[in-house]
Amino acid sequence: MPHLTYSIDDGLATLVLTNPPQNRIDPRMAAELAEALEAIGHSDARAVLVRAEGPDFSFGGDIVDWPDADARELRTLFERYMQVFNQLERLPLPVVAAVHGLCFGGGLELALRADVIFAGETARFGHPEQTLGIVTLLGGIYRVAERAGRARAAEWALTSGQVPARVMADAGVVNRVVADDTLLAEATAFARKAAKGPTRAHAAHKALLRAWAVGGVSAADEAMFDIAMPLFETDDVNKGLASAVKAFKAKQPRPAVDFQGR
Protein backbone atom coordinates (compact mmCIF):
# COMPACT_ATOMS: atom_id res chain seq x y z
CA MET A 1 0.00 0.00 0.00
CA PRO A 2 1.25 3.52 -0.71
CA HIS A 3 2.32 5.71 2.19
CA LEU A 4 1.06 8.87 0.46
CA THR A 5 -1.55 9.44 -2.21
CA TYR A 6 -2.68 12.45 -4.17
CA SER A 7 -5.64 13.52 -6.23
CA ILE A 8 -6.56 16.64 -8.19
CA ASP A 9 -10.13 17.81 -8.45
CA ASP A 10 -11.44 21.13 -9.75
CA GLY A 11 -8.14 22.93 -9.19
CA LEU A 12 -7.46 21.49 -5.73
CA ALA A 13 -4.68 18.97 -5.21
CA THR A 14 -5.04 16.82 -2.10
CA LEU A 15 -2.06 15.05 -0.53
CA VAL A 16 -2.96 12.33 1.96
CA LEU A 17 -0.59 10.57 4.36
CA THR A 18 -1.78 6.96 4.16
CA ASN A 19 0.51 5.05 6.52
CA PRO A 20 -1.56 4.93 9.72
CA PRO A 21 -1.71 4.68 12.62
CA GLN A 22 1.40 6.88 12.99
CA ASN A 23 2.00 8.01 9.39
CA ARG A 24 5.75 7.76 9.90
CA ILE A 25 7.88 9.52 7.29
CA ASP A 26 10.23 7.13 5.51
CA PRO A 27 12.03 6.96 2.15
CA ARG A 28 8.95 5.53 0.49
CA MET A 29 6.72 8.36 1.66
CA ALA A 30 9.33 10.92 0.58
CA ALA A 31 9.54 9.33 -2.86
CA GLU A 32 5.76 9.32 -3.20
CA LEU A 33 5.60 12.96 -2.08
CA ALA A 34 8.19 13.88 -4.71
CA GLU A 35 6.17 12.05 -7.36
CA ALA A 36 2.99 13.81 -6.27
CA LEU A 37 4.64 17.24 -6.33
CA GLU A 38 5.97 16.56 -9.82
CA ALA A 39 2.45 15.71 -10.99
CA ILE A 40 0.96 18.76 -9.27
CA GLY A 41 3.55 20.98 -10.90
CA HIS A 42 2.44 19.81 -14.33
CA SER A 43 -1.28 19.95 -13.57
CA ASP A 44 -3.94 22.64 -13.46
CA ALA A 45 -3.99 22.60 -9.63
CA ARG A 46 -4.24 26.04 -8.04
CA ALA A 47 -4.09 25.09 -4.34
CA VAL A 48 -2.97 22.13 -2.23
CA LEU A 49 -4.50 20.48 0.83
CA VAL A 50 -2.38 18.20 3.05
CA ARG A 51 -4.16 15.79 5.38
CA ALA A 52 -3.72 12.36 6.91
CA GLU A 53 -5.60 9.13 7.47
CA GLY A 54 -5.83 7.40 10.81
CA PRO A 55 -6.01 8.74 14.38
CA ASP A 56 -2.97 11.03 14.09
CA PHE A 57 -1.45 13.35 11.51
CA SER A 58 2.12 12.03 11.88
CA PHE A 59 4.58 10.95 14.57
CA GLY A 60 7.49 12.08 12.38
CA GLY A 61 10.42 10.14 11.00
CA ASP A 62 10.57 6.36 10.91
CA ILE A 63 13.63 5.92 13.15
CA VAL A 64 13.80 2.09 13.16
CA ASP A 65 16.72 1.85 10.73
CA TRP A 66 18.63 4.89 11.92
CA PRO A 67 20.83 3.12 14.51
CA ASP A 68 22.20 0.82 11.77
CA ALA A 69 23.12 3.69 9.42
CA ASP A 70 26.28 5.76 9.59
CA ALA A 71 26.31 9.56 9.61
CA ARG A 72 26.94 9.79 5.87
CA GLU A 73 23.95 7.59 5.06
CA LEU A 74 21.75 9.51 7.47
CA ARG A 75 22.81 12.85 6.02
CA THR A 76 21.90 11.65 2.53
CA LEU A 77 18.50 10.53 3.84
CA PHE A 78 17.77 13.76 5.69
CA GLU A 79 18.91 15.94 2.80
CA ARG A 80 16.47 14.08 0.56
CA TYR A 81 13.66 14.68 3.05
CA MET A 82 14.60 18.36 3.31
CA GLN A 83 14.65 18.77 -0.47
CA VAL A 84 11.20 17.24 -0.91
CA PHE A 85 9.66 19.10 2.03
CA ASN A 86 11.06 22.38 0.71
CA GLN A 87 9.66 21.60 -2.72
CA LEU A 88 6.21 21.51 -1.10
CA GLU A 89 6.90 24.74 0.77
CA ARG A 90 8.00 26.53 -2.39
CA LEU A 91 5.11 25.53 -4.61
CA PRO A 92 3.74 28.67 -6.28
CA LEU A 93 0.34 27.71 -4.90
CA PRO A 94 -1.43 28.16 -1.56
CA VAL A 95 -0.78 25.11 0.65
CA VAL A 96 -3.21 24.30 3.48
CA ALA A 97 -2.62 21.63 6.14
CA ALA A 98 -5.42 19.96 8.11
CA VAL A 99 -3.87 18.56 11.30
CA HIS A 100 -5.61 16.20 13.70
CA GLY A 101 -4.44 14.05 16.57
CA LEU A 102 -0.71 14.06 17.26
CA CYS A 103 1.68 16.00 15.02
CA PHE A 104 5.28 15.41 16.07
CA GLY A 105 8.82 15.76 14.75
CA GLY A 106 8.96 15.45 10.98
CA GLY A 107 5.17 15.49 10.88
CA LEU A 108 5.20 18.97 12.43
CA GLU A 109 7.97 19.99 10.06
CA LEU A 110 5.82 18.85 7.14
CA ALA A 111 2.82 20.81 8.43
CA LEU A 112 5.03 23.89 8.83
CA ARG A 113 5.62 23.86 5.07
CA ALA A 114 1.98 24.86 4.63
CA ASP A 115 1.00 28.50 4.27
CA VAL A 116 -2.09 27.99 6.43
CA ILE A 117 -2.55 25.36 9.16
CA PHE A 118 -5.98 24.27 10.34
CA ALA A 119 -5.97 22.14 13.50
CA GLY A 120 -8.62 20.09 15.22
CA GLU A 121 -9.32 21.27 18.76
CA THR A 122 -7.77 18.15 20.31
CA ALA A 123 -4.64 18.19 18.11
CA ARG A 124 -1.25 18.22 19.84
CA PHE A 125 2.09 19.36 18.44
CA GLY A 126 5.64 18.74 19.55
CA HIS A 127 9.36 18.28 18.93
CA PRO A 128 10.37 14.87 20.38
CA GLU A 129 13.89 15.15 18.98
CA GLN A 130 15.56 16.15 22.25
CA THR A 131 14.39 12.86 23.80
CA LEU A 132 16.62 11.18 21.18
CA GLY A 133 19.52 13.57 21.69
CA ILE A 134 19.12 15.14 18.24
CA VAL A 135 17.72 18.36 16.78
CA THR A 136 14.77 19.23 14.56
CA LEU A 137 16.49 17.92 11.45
CA LEU A 138 14.10 19.33 8.85
CA GLY A 139 14.09 22.92 10.05
CA GLY A 140 11.34 22.74 12.64
CA ILE A 141 12.80 24.95 15.35
CA TYR A 142 13.50 27.94 13.15
CA ARG A 143 10.27 27.61 11.19
CA VAL A 144 8.42 27.72 14.51
CA ALA A 145 10.57 30.71 15.50
CA GLU A 146 9.58 32.50 12.28
CA ARG A 147 5.93 32.17 13.29
CA ALA A 148 6.01 32.25 17.09
CA GLY A 149 9.31 33.90 18.01
CA ARG A 150 12.58 32.60 19.38
CA ALA A 151 11.45 32.19 22.99
CA ARG A 152 8.56 29.85 22.22
CA ALA A 153 10.59 27.90 19.65
CA ALA A 154 13.40 27.33 22.15
CA GLU A 155 11.02 26.31 24.94
CA TRP A 156 9.16 23.76 22.83
CA ALA A 157 12.33 22.27 21.36
CA LEU A 158 13.98 21.98 24.79
CA THR A 159 11.04 20.35 26.53
CA SER A 160 9.53 18.12 23.83
CA GLY A 161 6.18 18.77 25.46
CA GLN A 162 2.85 18.19 23.72
CA VAL A 163 1.55 21.64 22.84
CA PRO A 164 -2.24 21.99 22.45
CA ALA A 165 -3.64 23.39 19.24
CA ARG A 166 -5.06 26.45 21.01
CA VAL A 167 -1.63 27.35 22.39
CA MET A 168 -0.10 26.95 18.96
CA ALA A 169 -2.79 29.20 17.51
CA ASP A 170 -2.28 31.86 20.19
CA ALA A 171 1.45 31.81 19.34
CA GLY A 172 0.80 32.19 15.62
CA VAL A 173 1.95 28.76 14.46
CA VAL A 174 -1.56 27.48 13.72
CA ASN A 175 -3.97 29.71 11.83
CA ARG A 176 -7.31 28.25 12.89
CA VAL A 177 -8.51 25.77 15.50
CA VAL A 178 -11.83 24.14 14.67
CA ALA A 179 -13.96 21.31 15.98
CA ASP A 180 -12.43 17.91 15.27
CA ASP A 181 -15.49 16.74 13.36
CA THR A 182 -15.48 19.78 11.04
CA LEU A 183 -11.71 20.02 10.50
CA LEU A 184 -11.56 18.39 7.10
CA ALA A 185 -14.63 20.20 5.79
CA GLU A 186 -13.42 23.63 6.92
CA ALA A 187 -9.84 23.15 5.71
CA THR A 188 -11.09 21.85 2.37
CA ALA A 189 -13.49 24.77 1.96
CA PHE A 190 -10.66 27.23 2.64
CA ALA A 191 -8.36 25.47 0.18
CA ARG A 192 -11.05 25.38 -2.51
CA LYS A 193 -11.65 29.10 -2.05
CA ALA A 194 -7.91 29.75 -2.41
CA ALA A 195 -7.91 27.62 -5.56
CA LYS A 196 -10.46 29.97 -7.11
CA GLY A 197 -8.39 33.06 -6.35
CA PRO A 198 -5.68 34.91 -8.29
CA THR A 199 -3.09 32.11 -8.36
CA ARG A 200 -0.26 34.26 -9.71
CA ALA A 201 -0.82 36.84 -6.96
CA HIS A 202 -0.81 34.08 -4.32
CA ALA A 203 2.54 32.90 -5.68
CA ALA A 204 3.89 36.46 -5.58
CA HIS A 205 2.89 36.85 -1.93
CA LYS A 206 4.71 33.61 -1.09
CA ALA A 207 7.82 34.85 -2.88
CA LEU A 208 7.73 38.15 -0.98
CA LEU A 209 7.40 36.33 2.33
CA ARG A 210 10.42 34.18 1.43
CA ALA A 211 12.42 37.33 0.65
CA TRP A 212 11.37 38.83 3.98
CA ALA A 213 12.26 35.63 5.86
CA VAL A 214 15.78 35.70 4.41
CA GLY A 215 16.58 39.40 4.59
CA GLY A 216 13.83 41.26 6.40
CA VAL A 217 11.78 44.20 5.19
CA SER A 218 14.59 45.78 3.17
CA ALA A 219 15.14 42.55 1.19
CA ALA A 220 11.42 42.24 0.50
CA ASP A 221 11.27 45.88 -0.60
CA GLU A 222 14.18 45.25 -2.94
CA ALA A 223 12.39 42.27 -4.50
CA MET A 224 8.91 43.83 -4.52
CA PHE A 225 8.60 45.24 -8.02
CA ASP A 226 10.47 42.44 -9.78
CA ILE A 227 7.87 40.12 -8.26
CA ALA A 228 4.82 42.37 -8.42
CA MET A 229 4.96 44.10 -11.78
CA PRO A 230 4.60 41.00 -14.00
CA LEU A 231 1.16 40.54 -12.43
CA PHE A 232 -0.09 43.55 -14.38
CA GLU A 233 0.38 41.53 -17.56
CA THR A 234 -1.83 38.66 -16.40
CA ASP A 235 -5.39 37.99 -17.51
CA ASP A 236 -6.55 37.94 -13.89
CA VAL A 237 -5.32 41.45 -13.15
CA ASN A 238 -6.66 42.82 -16.43
CA LYS A 239 -10.04 41.36 -15.62
CA GLY A 240 -9.96 42.36 -11.95
CA LEU A 241 -8.89 45.95 -12.52
CA ALA A 242 -11.35 46.51 -15.37
CA SER A 243 -14.18 45.12 -13.27
CA ALA A 244 -13.29 47.30 -10.27
CA VAL A 245 -13.00 50.49 -12.35
CA LYS A 246 -16.28 49.81 -14.15
CA ALA A 247 -18.08 49.30 -10.84
CA PHE A 248 -16.51 52.44 -9.37
CA LYS A 249 -17.58 54.60 -12.30
CA ALA A 250 -21.08 53.18 -12.17
CA LYS A 251 -21.20 53.67 -8.38
CA GLN A 252 -22.07 50.01 -7.98
CA PRO A 253 -20.72 47.32 -5.68
CA ARG A 254 -17.67 45.59 -7.06
CA PRO A 255 -18.69 42.18 -8.45
CA ALA A 256 -16.81 38.98 -7.63
CA VAL A 257 -14.17 38.17 -10.22
CA ASP A 258 -13.92 34.71 -11.76
CA PHE A 259 -10.13 34.36 -11.62
CA GLN A 260 -8.57 31.72 -13.84
CA GLY A 261 -5.03 31.68 -12.48
CA ARG A 262 -3.57 33.18 -15.65
Side-chain angles (χ1 to χ4, degrees), residues 144-184:
V144 169
E146 184 183 16
R147 295 176 183 229
R150 179 171 178 168
R152 286 295 187 95
E155 176 188 348
W156 293 336
L158 290 171
T159 61
S160 290
Q162 294 188 18
V163 185
R166 294 284 181 191
V167 175
M168 293 293 258
D170 289 343
V173 178
V174 166
N175 294 79
R176 299 190 189 184
V177 178
V178 300
D180 291 337
D181 59 358
T182 65
L183 170 64
L184 183 56

Side-chain angles (χ1 to χ4, degrees), residues 50 55 62 67 70 72 95 106 132 161 163 207 230 253 257 259:
V50 183
D62 186 348
D70 61 31
R72 180 176 177 177
V95 178
L132 304 175
V163 185
V257 177
F259 292 115

Side-chain angles (χ1 to χ4, degrees), residues 26-243:
D26 60 7
R28 180 174 180 177
M29 183 179 286
E32 290 169 349
L33 176 57
E35 179 182 342
L37 294 176
E38 180 75 12
I40 290 168
H42 289 90
S43 75
D44 61 355
R46 294 168 59 192
V48 178
L49 174 69
V50 183
R51 65 175 184 87
E53 292 184 350
D56 298 299
F57 184 79
S58 175
F59 275 40
D62 186 348
I63 66 173
V64 172
D65 295 331
W66 293 6
D68 297 323
D70 61 31
R72 180 176 177 177
E73 292 170 327
L74 288 173
R75 177 169 182 154
T76 299
L77 177 68
F78 300 147
E79 286 186 344
R80 175 57 173 158
Y81 289 173
M82 180 76 87
Q83 183 271 323
V84 177
F85 277 30
N86 286 352
Q87 188 178 350
L88 171 64
E89 184 176 53
R90 293 168 184 169
L91 279 176
L93 307 170
V95 178
V96 180
V99 176
H100 70 284
L102 301 179
C103 181
F104 293 159
L108 172 53
E109 290 168 311
L110 178 64
L112 286 167
R113 263 57 179 195
D115 303 300
V116 176
I117 301 175
F118 279 67
E121 58 190 352
T122 64
R124 297 289 187 274
F125 300 79
H127 298 299
E129 287 84 357
Q130 70 89 23
T131 66
L132 304 175
I134 60 176
V135 301
T136 56
L137 292 162
L138 303 182
I141 187 170
Y142 45 83
R143 282 178 170 80
V144 169
E146 184 183 16
R147 295 176 183 229
R150 179 171 178 168
R152 286 295 187 95
E155 176 188 348
W156 293 336
L158 290 171
T159 61
S160 290
Q162 294 188 18
V163 185
R166 294 284 181 191
V167 175
M168 293 293 258
D170 289 343
V173 178
V174 166
N175 294 79
R176 299 190 189 184
V177 178
V178 300
D180 291 337
D181 59 358
T182 65
L183 170 64
L184 183 56
E186 294 196 41
T188 301
F190 184 94
R192 288 201 178 280
K193 182 176 181 180
K196 300 297 184 183
T199 309
R200 297 276 297 275
H202 292 332
H205 276 130
K206 292 185 66 165
L208 288 168
L209 284 171
R210 283 197 301 273
W212 165 80
V214 171
V217 170
S218 61
D221 281 349
E222 186 68 24
M224 169 60 78
F225 297 115
D226 287 337
I227 293 172
M229 297 315 296
L231 294 174
F232 286 88
E233 299 175 352
T234 65
D235 291 344
D236 280 349
V237 168
N238 289 333
K239 182 186 296 184
L241 279 176
S243 174

